[in-house]
Structures are given as structure tokens and as C-alpha cells.
Amino acid sequence: MTTPRKARRPGRSRGSAPHPALRSPEGLLVPALALALALTALPAAAHASPSSPSSPSSPALTWSPCGSARQECATLTVPLDYSRPHGRTVHLAVSRIRAEGARRGTLAVVPGGPGSSGVRRLADKGAALMAATGGRYDLVSFDPRGVGGSTTAACGLPEEDRRLATVRSWPGAGGGIAENVARSRRTAEACGKNGGAVLASFTTANEVRDLDRLRAALGSARLSVWATSYGTYVAAGYAQKHPGRTARVVLDSSGDPDPARVERGWLANMARGAEDRFPDFAAWAADPARGAERLAERPARVRTRVLGLARELDAHPRATTTPGLALTGGMLLQALQTALYDDAAFPEFAGLVRAADATTAGPVVLPPSLAQPMSQQDAAVTISVICNDVDWPGSVADHARGVAEDRARYPLTGGMPVNITPCSYWKNEPAEPPARITDEGPSNILMVQNLRDPATPYAGALRMRAALGRKARLVSVDSGGHGSYLGTGNACGDAAVTAFLVDGVRPDRDIECP
């Protein structure tokens, strides 16, 4: 029987002894911040940086048309293990949209997740970004390891363990976690058995290295960056590691970079984020203008209705049109969490509440985010990055106590953010310490952050701001949802970011956008 992994000093090197066969917005994110695992260990030195960006030299990229009329795609080959630069390789799908006029440099679009596609994000945002920056940049992005057109891995998980509401550990009725413990154990075992060295290479540190390999392949001395959600940690880590290779860096929707916790902290902070953001949905759902979509006469009653329905569904799950899947309270709250990312998703969630609350209706039609399982590849990368990056505590009793306390303090997330995950049963320790973000390096970072972000709450972004110190300025946007620049329609926030990217004009102090 597999026992929980004991808490360990973050970053201690993996041993070389063989492991037993053990063996998840914009993406965040996918919705991003999930869990993670990976078993087959790489040696402790496997993630050491090459001696220089050209050691070995990066091959030239061969571009061909793809996607939109102006988008091009190529394949970049990188080492599986950067300590063995001439050994086994993996490939990355990369994409670009070339500058339209006087080119000022290369702007890398770094996606969220873990698990989001940079190629897809460039396709979605490329036209708007090109228009905002006057076509002055070559826009580039890539699918990180495990994602989309890049080299992927799989854990071989059954369908029921690849649904979003099970990849995220929503407790059972009354906060019970026994089912979460069993699922976490079998998920870790499956990933360890089937994921191999490729899955073990899915780390933030390797994404930073891969980004620098892309820079070298493009022939760029420096990169400008627009990073979103989880990608802000990648970009901050890149700026920390390669300060001389960054030009203008935008961190959009940042999490707390605490190196002792990183993804553990991001997940836990989602409880606070949901509380920050829910009033926006409650006001929308109580507005008389909603007509038939209105859930209550006052915002406070919207909250009461949603939480009451979640309790009822935990006690008496509702039949759905998806064979073998009943709607539980945890699934309802996961649908809420997804809806809080974007105002455009409010109507769908309100419809689910009405359908699930009806006493005479037939089976409930679930939104695709609940009904459709993730692919094997998406589940693997969503889970693996988070567990590979940092140690997670393993005590079942401590998790049970934490869930009970979090459910009382933050009922909208039902204890999920602090519940046990497959990371507690991971057998290989992180190969290296998580990046420590500091104020060392050039002062060339602009942060932009919504005040009511459900996934990367404002309180966590303030921790990133404090860590960056003199290197950064913060634009705080009085808006809700996940993702700010070219996302919320806030003219003040968008103008501040655009001015920085286009003209290098950055506020001389932190500012607030109404």
C-alpha cells in the first residue's frame, strides 16, 4: 500500500535509487491551478543549466503557414534533460506572427495553466495584441512540454479520474476526504508507472530553459514578454535567471511566488479569490434586468441559494444526461469557480443553478467543463507540473482538519483548495528548489492585476509585487475575472500596458485604475 509522502525540505535533490512502479483558463490556468505528479526520477543534476545560451547552439526554425492568414508555426527541438544536451530530445510546437512595420523586437506570449497552449493563445489574442502594439513586435509563443503540439505524456487514468471536478479534489458530503485520498493514491501510482522521464521533465524550471532556447533559436538578444496567470511565474523566473535577456516584461494576473509553497499556495489562495469575486456574480444574478435568469431579489440571497443547493446536491445528487455521472455539490461549486473567470460565463452557471434547483425537471444537462473528461495528455500535464515543482505535505489527518477549517471560512470553495492531491503520494522529490523571485536585476517589469480575480487573487499578486521590489510597478484594475490586459475592457489598465510595450513608458509608481 502506498503511504502519503512525508513533508520534505523543498528542493532537496532526488536520490538515484530506483523507484517502485507507482504510478490535470485562458486555460489555469485550464482552468489552471490544479495538482501534479510525476514519478520516474531524473538525476538531481538533470535540470542544470547549459553553460551558455549557445551551448549547444539552437537550430534555426523552419516556418510554415498555420492557423490564421498571418500565423506561422515551426518545431523547436530541446533536450529532455539539460544536463545531457546531446542526449534524448523533446519537441516544442512554436508559433509567430511577424511584425507589420518598423520592428522593435520580439514579444513572447507566455500562457497560463499549467496546461495551456501558447500556440492557441497567440491565435486567440494575436490580432488584438498586434493592433494594440501597432505591429511593432514579432509575436511568438509555444506549447510547453506536455501541451498541444509539443511532446506529451500520459498517466493512463480512467475517465472518471480525468474530469475537472475530480482532478481538483472536491471533498464529499460533509467534507469527507476518503474518496479524495483513494483517487490521489491511484493517480500518483498511474503517473509513476506510465509517465516516465518525459512526465518527470514537466517543470517550471524546464519551461524557463525552453523559453531561453526559443529566444536563441529566434536570434534575439532579448525578449519582451506578456505572461498571464501561471505564466507570470515562468516569466518572473526567466527574468530572475536571465536579467540581461529581458526587455519589457508584463506580468498579468500573478500568484504568490513564495518559494516554500508556490503551487500549493496558489491553490490554497483560490478560496480567497472566490470570495473576492463572487459579489460580482451575485450582483449580476440579483439584477432585475436579468429577467428569467435572475436567481434572487438581493445579492445576499444569491449566495444563500447557491450554497444551499450545493449542500442539497451533496446529500442528494441529481441525475444528469451524462451517463453514469450525477451532479454533486462539489461539481456545482466547480462550475461556479469556472464561471467566475469571466462575466460571459455567468448565464451558463445561473442556468445550471435553476436546472438543478427545479423539483419537477428531468435530468440536468451539465456544461461541457463538467461533462467531458480531459484528454490523457491534458490531465497528465495539469497534474504533473505542480507536483514536480515543490514538495507537498502527506498527512491525511492534517488535510482533513485543513478542509474542515477552510470549508467554514470559505464555503464557496468547500475545502477543495487545501484538500489532499496526488502530490502527497509522489515518490520523486523536486530535482531543484523553486525559483526565488527577488528585486535583483533591471527595473523593467510591469504588473497588471484585477482586484477581484478568482484564480490569482489580488492578495497573492501583492506578494509578487513585494518580492519584485524596485524591479516592478503595479497597475491595479478595479475589475473582476481572470486576466486583465486585452481582457476586461478597462481602458486605463490596457493603456498603461500598451504604453509600456510600445514606448517603454512605465508609471513611476504603482497606480490604480477605476
Side-chain angles (χ1 to χ4, degrees):
M1 178 179 293
T2 307
T3 56
R5 184 172 72 175
K6 294 181 180 179
R8 295 178 293 242
R9 178 171 58 86
R12 198 175 65 193
S13 299
R14 294 186 176 108
S16 58
H19 294 283
L22 296 177
R23 295 212 168 184
S24 202
E26 133 118 6
L28 232 29
L29 180 125
V30 301
L33 299 170
L35 316 62
L37 12 96
L39 196 239
T40 305
L42 297 178
H47 302 279
S49 296
S51 59
S52 73
S54 58
S55 176
S57 60
S58 297
L61 296 169
T62 301
W63 299 97
S64 60
C66 66
S68 67
R70 299 194 59 241
Q71 192 167 3
E72 299 174 294
C73 292
T75 298
L76 175 66
T77 300
V78 299
L80 171 68
D81 173 349
Y82 273 87
S83 74
R84 298 180 176 90
H86 300 290
R88 185 177 173 185
T89 61
V90 294
H91 67 266
L92 305 178
V94 302
S95 184
R96 76 176 178 187
I97 301 175
R98 304 187 82 166
E100 295 175 332
R103 179 181 175 276
R104 80 155 317 277
T106 300
L107 176 60
V109 177
V110 180
S116 291
S117 165
V119 172
R120 186 178 304 121
R121 182 153 180 82
L122 186 57
D124 292 343
K125 291 291 189 178
L129 185 57
M130 187 64 73
T133 58
R136 300 184 191 185
Y137 285 98
D138 285 341
L139 308 179
V140 301
S141 194
F142 69 102
D143 286 349
R145 300 179 188 216
V147 178
S150 296
T151 296
T152 62
C155 295
L157 302 178
E159 183 175 296
E160 59 269 22
D161 290 349
R162 288 185 281 113
R163 299 185 189 279
L164 183 57
T166 50
V167 170
R168 292 193 176 174
S169 289
W170 289 94
I177 70 169
E179 186 176 351
N180 306 126
V181 171
R183 179 178 295 111
S184 294
R185 179 183 291 119
R186 67 175 177 260
T187 297
E189 290 173 348
C191 290
K193 179 180 179 181
N194 301 315
V198 172
L199 189 71
S201 80
F202 296 168
T203 67
T204 299
N206 275 338
E207 186 168 343
V208 168
R209 296 181 179 107
D210 292 345
L211 179 60
D212 196 54
R213 187 57 63 92
L214 175 59
R215 176 204 58 77
L218 293 167
S220 298
R222 296 192 301 167
L223 288 176
S224 290
V225 178
W226 173 33
T228 307
S229 191
Y230 160 71
T232 62
Y233 183 62
V234 175
Y238 186 83
Q240 187 73 36
K241 188 177 182 65
H242 303 296
R245 301 175 193 169
T246 59
R248 299 167 186 175
V249 178
V250 175
L251 305 183
D252 184 343
S253 307
S254 301
D256 182 353
D258 178 2
R261 303 182 75 205
V262 283
E263 286 99 336
R264 285 172 49 207
W266 304 340
L267 188 60
N269 288 346
M270 291 176 76
R272 170 72 179 271
E275 294 290 340
D276 290 346
R277 172 65 162 150
F278 187 81
D280 291 341
F281 171 74
W284 177 92
D287 188 339
R290 299 281 79 78
E293 294 179 328
R294 195 180 188 197
L295 295 184
E297 294 180 356
R298 297 199 305 271
R301 291 186 177 179
V302 174
R303 182 184 178 93
T304 299
R305 181 174 180 180
V306 170
L307 291 175
L309 178 58
R311 289 191 295 270
E312 174 64 22
L313 291 172
D314 270 340
H316 306 287
R318 285 289 304 268
T320 74
T321 57
T322 303
L325 191 61
L327 178 62
T328 65
M331 291 171 64
L332 181 77
L333 294 181
Q334 175 56 61
L336 169 63
Q337 181 67 34
T338 301
L340 294 180
Y341 278 59
D342 192 331
D343 291 10
F346 287 178
E348 181 180 69
F349 179 70
L352 179 63
V353 170
R354 291 193 303 273
D357 219 4
T359 57
T360 58
V364 176
V365 178
L366 296 176
S369 62
L370 293 180
Q372 298 174 3
M374 294 182 183
S375 69
Q376 290 284 359
Q377 293 76 18
D378 287 349
V381 69
T382 299
I383 293 167
S384 62
V385 174
I386 297 174
C387 296
N388 287 338
D389 272 1
V390 67
D391 268 312
W392 293 62
S395 168
V396 173
D398 286 349
H399 278 97
R401 283 192 292 271
V403 165
E405 294 169 359
D406 216 53
R407 283 168 62 86
R409 186 177 183 186
Y410 301 113
L412 291 172
T413 46
M416 178 276 292
V418 298
N419 200 3
I420 199 164
T421 74
C423 304
S424 291
Y425 295 92
W426 231 232
K427 295 301 180 180
N428 55 323
E429 299 181 3
E432 56 196 312
R436 179 178 293 277
I437 307 304
T438 74
D439 63 356
E440 298 172 0
S443 183
N444 63 348
I445 296 175
L446 182 66
M447 297 176 60
V448 60
Q449 185 79 25
N450 291 338
L451 294 182
R452 300 180 301 283
D453 187 320
T456 53
Y458 190 69
L462 291 178
R463 298 291 297 274
M464 176 69 88
R465 175 69 186 89
L468 291 170
R470 54 166 290 278
K471 291 198 300 189
R473 301 290 185 272
L474 172 63
V475 178
S476 300
V477 179
D478 188 2
S479 185
H482 187 53
S484 184
Y485 184 53
L486 304 181
T488 64
N490 185 282
C492 167
D494 286 356
V497 175
T498 297
F500 177 58
L501 289 175
V502 173
D503 299 316
V505 176
R506 195 182 66 166
D508 58 7
R509 57 180 176 79
D510 294 351
I511 64 171
E512 298 178 359
C513 285

